[in-house]
Amino acid sequence: MEELIQGGLSSASQWLQTNALSLVLALAIFFIGRMIANTIAKITKSMMTRAKIDEILVDFIAGIVRVGLILFVIVAALTQLGVDTTSLVALIGAAGIAIGLALKDSLQNFASGVMLILFRPFKAGDFVEAGGSMGVVEKISIFSTVMRTGDNREVIIPNGGIYGGTITNFSARPTRRVDMVFGIGYESDLKLAKDLLQKLLDEDDRILAEPAPVIAVGELADSSVNILCRPWVNSGDYWGVYWDMQERVKLCFDEAGISIPYPQMDLRLVKE
């Protein structure tokens, strides 16, 4: 046993004497390379921060840059020591492919999250319809987006389901058009109904003067004359105006004697 230890020490000493310079260079490559990798990662992070890229994406990309550079430095240091790194590089590549296949769905969500953060089709606080859900965006992360619905439910949607489909952002523009249809009976006074609708719009301070509201006959239906009423409002006033107009039009039409048709069924009894 003692002879084995002495033999090992002798071999190690001989190897150090032969490869002392290579070892020093390999250590220098590793430590200096690690410092350079950390510096490049910090510079990358600083540049992305100045570009106002989302903090989550900044940290993630800076981390990937740092790890990738350190792996390169380790391979360079081992090569300086005379180690054949071909198999190591192949092993790292194979491991990357295996991990990519195992995390295919997660990587899709990650890629979609990066695109959402970079191109910003919506931001936190916007009211959107995406991924089969509608609500206020509360948080956009790398893999998923959190929404709050109108009845205060929390919905977590994978980013792949959002970016791969249609995104409707109701908060993207400062104004919206409120599309309403009011049906009146054929026997009712059409001109009076249109004048009353115009009067109700004029009395509401939330209705914008430009673009001008549209009041027009949209359809001569089977049992009603359908009048289109399309005012423009600030986006935040959309639902308030919509709900208020439904009630005010009903009360105003009732007072003016304008009928609002509803489905009816006539029964005829035949006595045999």
Side-chain angles (χ1 to χ4, degrees), residues 155-174:
V155 181
I156 302 174
I157 309 172
N159 287 331
I162 294 178
Y163 197 75
T166 301
I167 301 172
T168 303
N169 189 342
F170 298 98
S171 304
R173 305 296 174 89

PDB file of all heavy atoms in Angstrom, residues 155-174:
ATOM      1  N   VAL A 155     -56.879  33.589 -13.713  1.00  0.00           N
ATOM      2  CA  VAL A 155     -56.690  32.630 -14.795  1.00  0.00           C
ATOM      3  C   VAL A 155     -55.223  32.656 -15.209  1.00  0.00           C
ATOM      4  O   VAL A 155     -54.686  33.720 -15.523  1.00  0.00           O
ATOM      5  CB  VAL A 155     -57.585  32.972 -16.009  1.00  0.00           C
ATOM      6  CG1 VAL A 155     -57.385  31.948 -17.116  1.00  0.00           C
ATOM      7  CG2 VAL A 155     -59.050  33.026 -15.600  1.00  0.00           C
ATOM      8  N   ILE A 156     -54.579  31.468 -15.193  1.00  0.00           N
ATOM      9  CA  ILE A 156     -53.179  31.344 -15.597  1.00  0.00           C
ATOM     10  C   ILE A 156     -53.144  30.635 -16.945  1.00  0.00           C
ATOM     11  O   ILE A 156     -53.584  29.494 -17.059  1.00  0.00           O
ATOM     12  CB  ILE A 156     -52.358  30.570 -14.555  1.00  0.00           C
ATOM     13  CG1 ILE A 156     -52.439  31.283 -13.191  1.00  0.00           C
ATOM     14  CG2 ILE A 156     -50.903  30.443 -15.006  1.00  0.00           C
ATOM     15  CD1 ILE A 156     -51.780  30.520 -12.070  1.00  0.00           C
ATOM     16  N   ILE A 157     -52.629  31.313 -17.978  1.00  0.00           N
ATOM     17  CA  ILE A 157     -52.640  30.793 -19.342  1.00  0.00           C
ATOM     18  C   ILE A 157     -51.203  30.589 -19.817  1.00  0.00           C
ATOM     19  O   ILE A 157     -50.383  31.512 -19.740  1.00  0.00           O
ATOM     20  CB  ILE A 157     -53.356  31.767 -20.292  1.00  0.00           C
ATOM     21  CG1 ILE A 157     -54.731  32.156 -19.733  1.00  0.00           C
ATOM     22  CG2 ILE A 157     -53.503  31.165 -21.679  1.00  0.00           C
ATOM     23  CD1 ILE A 157     -55.403  33.254 -20.516  1.00  0.00           C
ATOM     24  N   PRO A 158     -50.861  29.390 -20.326  1.00  0.00           N
ATOM     25  CA  PRO A 158     -49.528  29.193 -20.914  1.00  0.00           C
ATOM     26  C   PRO A 158     -49.309  30.155 -22.077  1.00  0.00           C
ATOM     27  O   PRO A 158     -50.216  30.382 -22.889  1.00  0.00           O
ATOM     28  CB  PRO A 158     -49.563  27.727 -21.389  1.00  0.00           C
ATOM     29  CG  PRO A 158     -50.641  27.085 -20.584  1.00  0.00           C
ATOM     30  CD  PRO A 158     -51.660  28.161 -20.325  1.00  0.00           C
ATOM     31  N   ASN A 159     -48.123  30.719 -22.164  1.00  0.00           N
ATOM     32  CA  ASN A 159     -47.858  31.723 -23.195  1.00  0.00           C
ATOM     33  C   ASN A 159     -47.982  31.169 -24.612  1.00  0.00           C
ATOM     34  O   ASN A 159     -48.298  31.902 -25.541  1.00  0.00           O
ATOM     35  CB  ASN A 159     -46.460  32.322 -22.999  1.00  0.00           C
ATOM     36  CG  ASN A 159     -46.412  33.258 -21.810  1.00  0.00           C
ATOM     37  OD1 ASN A 159     -47.413  33.867 -21.459  1.00  0.00           O
ATOM     38  ND2 ASN A 159     -45.260  33.362 -21.179  1.00  0.00           N
ATOM     39  N   GLY A 160     -47.727  29.846 -24.781  1.00  0.00           N
ATOM     40  CA  GLY A 160     -47.867  29.253 -26.105  1.00  0.00           C
ATOM     41  C   GLY A 160     -49.291  29.353 -26.621  1.00  0.00           C
ATOM     42  O   GLY A 160     -49.516  29.546 -27.817  1.00  0.00           O
ATOM     43  N   GLY A 161     -50.272  29.212 -25.721  1.00  0.00           N
ATOM     44  CA  GLY A 161     -51.664  29.315 -26.118  1.00  0.00           C
ATOM     45  C   GLY A 161     -52.084  30.733 -26.445  1.00  0.00           C
ATOM     46  O   GLY A 161     -53.082  30.952 -27.145  1.00  0.00           O
ATOM     47  N   ILE A 162     -51.341  31.716 -25.937  1.00  0.00           N
ATOM     48  CA  ILE A 162     -51.670  33.124 -26.202  1.00  0.00           C
ATOM     49  C   ILE A 162     -51.039  33.588 -27.512  1.00  0.00           C
ATOM     50  O   ILE A 162     -51.720  34.102 -28.399  1.00  0.00           O
ATOM     51  CB  ILE A 162     -51.197  34.018 -25.042  1.00  0.00           C
ATOM     52  CG1 ILE A 162     -51.985  33.695 -23.770  1.00  0.00           C
ATOM     53  CG2 ILE A 162     -51.351  35.490 -25.400  1.00  0.00           C
ATOM     54  CD1 ILE A 162     -51.546  34.490 -22.560  1.00  0.00           C
ATOM     55  N   TYR A 163     -49.732  33.383 -27.644  1.00  0.00           N
ATOM     56  CA  TYR A 163     -49.029  33.915 -28.817  1.00  0.00           C
ATOM     57  C   TYR A 163     -49.401  33.182 -30.091  1.00  0.00           C
ATOM     58  O   TYR A 163     -49.302  33.732 -31.180  1.00  0.00           O
ATOM     59  CB  TYR A 163     -47.514  33.846 -28.592  1.00  0.00           C
ATOM     60  CG  TYR A 163     -46.739  34.730 -29.529  1.00  0.00           C
ATOM     61  CD1 TYR A 163     -46.712  36.109 -29.334  1.00  0.00           C
ATOM     62  CD2 TYR A 163     -46.055  34.205 -30.630  1.00  0.00           C
ATOM     63  CE1 TYR A 163     -46.017  36.937 -30.199  1.00  0.00           C
ATOM     64  CE2 TYR A 163     -45.361  35.016 -31.496  1.00  0.00           C
ATOM     65  CZ  TYR A 163     -45.345  36.387 -31.274  1.00  0.00           C
ATOM     66  OH  TYR A 163     -44.663  37.206 -32.146  1.00  0.00           O
ATOM     67  N   GLY A 164     -49.855  31.929 -29.971  1.00  0.00           N
ATOM     68  CA  GLY A 164     -50.220  31.175 -31.153  1.00  0.00           C
ATOM     69  C   GLY A 164     -51.628  31.444 -31.640  1.00  0.00           C
ATOM     70  O   GLY A 164     -52.053  30.877 -32.649  1.00  0.00           O
ATOM     71  N   GLY A 165     -52.382  32.288 -30.944  1.00  0.00           N
ATOM     72  CA  GLY A 165     -53.755  32.580 -31.327  1.00  0.00           C
ATOM     73  C   GLY A 165     -53.993  34.064 -31.528  1.00  0.00           C
ATOM     74  O   GLY A 165     -53.062  34.876 -31.577  1.00  0.00           O
ATOM     75  N   THR A 166     -55.267  34.417 -31.634  1.00  0.00           N
ATOM     76  CA  THR A 166     -55.646  35.818 -31.829  1.00  0.00           C
ATOM     77  C   THR A 166     -55.667  36.551 -30.490  1.00  0.00           C
ATOM     78  O   THR A 166     -56.197  36.043 -29.505  1.00  0.00           O
ATOM     79  CB  THR A 166     -57.041  35.912 -32.482  1.00  0.00           C
ATOM     80  OG1 THR A 166     -57.012  35.226 -33.738  1.00  0.00           O
ATOM     81  CG2 THR A 166     -57.440  37.360 -32.702  1.00  0.00           C
ATOM     82  N   ILE A 167     -55.080  37.736 -30.459  1.00  0.00           N
ATOM     83  CA  ILE A 167     -55.051  38.567 -29.256  1.00  0.00           C
ATOM     84  C   ILE A 167     -55.863  39.829 -29.534  1.00  0.00           C
ATOM     85  O   ILE A 167     -55.570  40.574 -30.476  1.00  0.00           O
ATOM     86  CB  ILE A 167     -53.611  38.947 -28.871  1.00  0.00           C
ATOM     87  CG1 ILE A 167     -52.771  37.686 -28.618  1.00  0.00           C
ATOM     88  CG2 ILE A 167     -53.597  39.849 -27.640  1.00  0.00           C
ATOM     89  CD1 ILE A 167     -51.294  37.981 -28.416  1.00  0.00           C
ATOM     90  N   THR A 168     -56.876  40.069 -28.719  1.00  0.00           N
ATOM     91  CA  THR A 168     -57.672  41.290 -28.831  1.00  0.00           C
ATOM     92  C   THR A 168     -57.396  42.151 -27.600  1.00  0.00           C
ATOM     93  O   THR A 168     -57.712  41.754 -26.483  1.00  0.00           O
ATOM     94  CB  THR A 168     -59.178  40.976 -28.915  1.00  0.00           C
ATOM     95  OG1 THR A 168     -59.421  40.100 -30.024  1.00  0.00           O
ATOM     96  CG2 THR A 168     -59.981  42.253 -29.108  1.00  0.00           C
ATOM     97  N   ASN A 169     -56.800  43.301 -27.811  1.00  0.00           N
ATOM     98  CA  ASN A 169     -56.467  44.211 -26.721  1.00  0.00           C
ATOM     99  C   ASN A 169     -57.467  45.373 -26.726  1.00  0.00           C
ATOM    100  O   ASN A 169     -57.408  46.256 -27.582  1.00  0.00           O
ATOM    101  CB  ASN A 169     -55.035  44.735 -26.875  1.00  0.00           C
ATOM    102  CG  ASN A 169     -54.569  45.498 -25.660  1.00  0.00           C
ATOM    103  OD1 ASN A 169     -55.367  45.937 -24.841  1.00  0.00           O
ATOM    104  ND2 ASN A 169     -53.266  45.660 -25.523  1.00  0.00           N
ATOM    105  N   PHE A 170     -58.378  45.353 -25.760  1.00  0.00           N
ATOM    106  CA  PHE A 170     -59.408  46.391 -25.698  1.00  0.00           C
ATOM    107  C   PHE A 170     -58.873  47.700 -25.120  1.00  0.00           C
ATOM    108  O   PHE A 170     -59.556  48.727 -25.186  1.00  0.00           O
ATOM    109  CB  PHE A 170     -60.584  45.906 -24.848  1.00  0.00           C
ATOM    110  CG  PHE A 170     -61.282  44.687 -25.404  1.00  0.00           C
ATOM    111  CD1 PHE A 170     -60.986  43.422 -24.927  1.00  0.00           C
ATOM    112  CD2 PHE A 170     -62.216  44.811 -26.418  1.00  0.00           C
ATOM    113  CE1 PHE A 170     -61.611  42.297 -25.441  1.00  0.00           C
ATOM    114  CE2 PHE A 170     -62.848  43.694 -26.940  1.00  0.00           C
ATOM    115  CZ  PHE A 170     -62.548  42.432 -26.457  1.00  0.00           C
ATOM    116  N   SER A 171     -57.679  47.653 -24.538  1.00  0.00           N
ATOM    117  CA  SER A 171     -57.108  48.852 -23.908  1.00  0.00           C
ATOM    118  C   SER A 171     -56.027  49.510 -24.757  1.00  0.00           C
ATOM    119  O   SER A 171     -55.439  50.500 -24.334  1.00  0.00           O
ATOM    120  CB  SER A 171     -56.516  48.489 -22.536  1.00  0.00           C
ATOM    121  OG  SER A 171     -57.481  47.884 -21.704  1.00  0.00           O
ATOM    122  N   ALA A 172     -55.765  48.952 -25.942  1.00  0.00           N
ATOM    123  CA  ALA A 172     -54.648  49.457 -26.746  1.00  0.00           C
ATOM    124  C   ALA A 172     -54.910  50.863 -27.275  1.00  0.00           C
ATOM    125  O   ALA A 172     -53.985  51.668 -27.408  1.00  0.00           O
ATOM    126  CB  ALA A 172     -54.378  48.506 -27.908  1.00  0.00           C
ATOM    127  N   ARG A 173     -56.170  51.195 -27.578  1.00  0.00           N
ATOM    128  CA  ARG A 173     -56.498  52.504 -28.131  1.00  0.00           C
ATOM    129  C   ARG A 173     -57.226  53.343 -27.082  1.00  0.00           C
ATOM    130  O   ARG A 173     -57.955  52.796 -26.253  1.00  0.00           O
ATOM    131  CB  ARG A 173     -57.372  52.360 -29.375  1.00  0.00           C
ATOM    132  CG  ARG A 173     -56.745  51.465 -30.454  1.00  0.00           C
ATOM    133  CD  ARG A 173     -55.463  52.080 -30.982  1.00  0.00           C
ATOM    134  NE  ARG A 173     -54.773  51.197 -31.910  1.00  0.00           N
ATOM    135  CZ  ARG A 173     -54.996  51.167 -33.229  1.00  0.00           C
ATOM    136  NH1 ARG A 173     -55.921  51.960 -33.755  1.00  0.00           N
ATOM    137  NH2 ARG A 173     -54.304  50.362 -34.005  1.00  0.00           N
ATOM    138  N   PRO A 174     -57.065  54.655 -27.129  1.00  0.00           N
ATOM    139  CA  PRO A 174     -57.686  55.494 -26.101  1.00  0.00           C
ATOM    140  C   PRO A 174     -59.200  55.578 -26.211  1.00  0.00           C
ATOM    141  O   PRO A 174     -59.881  55.886 -25.235  1.00  0.00           O
ATOM    142  CB  PRO A 174     -57.046  56.867 -26.326  1.00  0.00           C
ATOM    143  CG  PRO A 174     -56.608  56.853 -27.757  1.00  0.00           C
ATOM    144  CD  PRO A 174     -56.212  55.438 -28.045  1.00  0.00           C
TER     145      PRO A 174
END
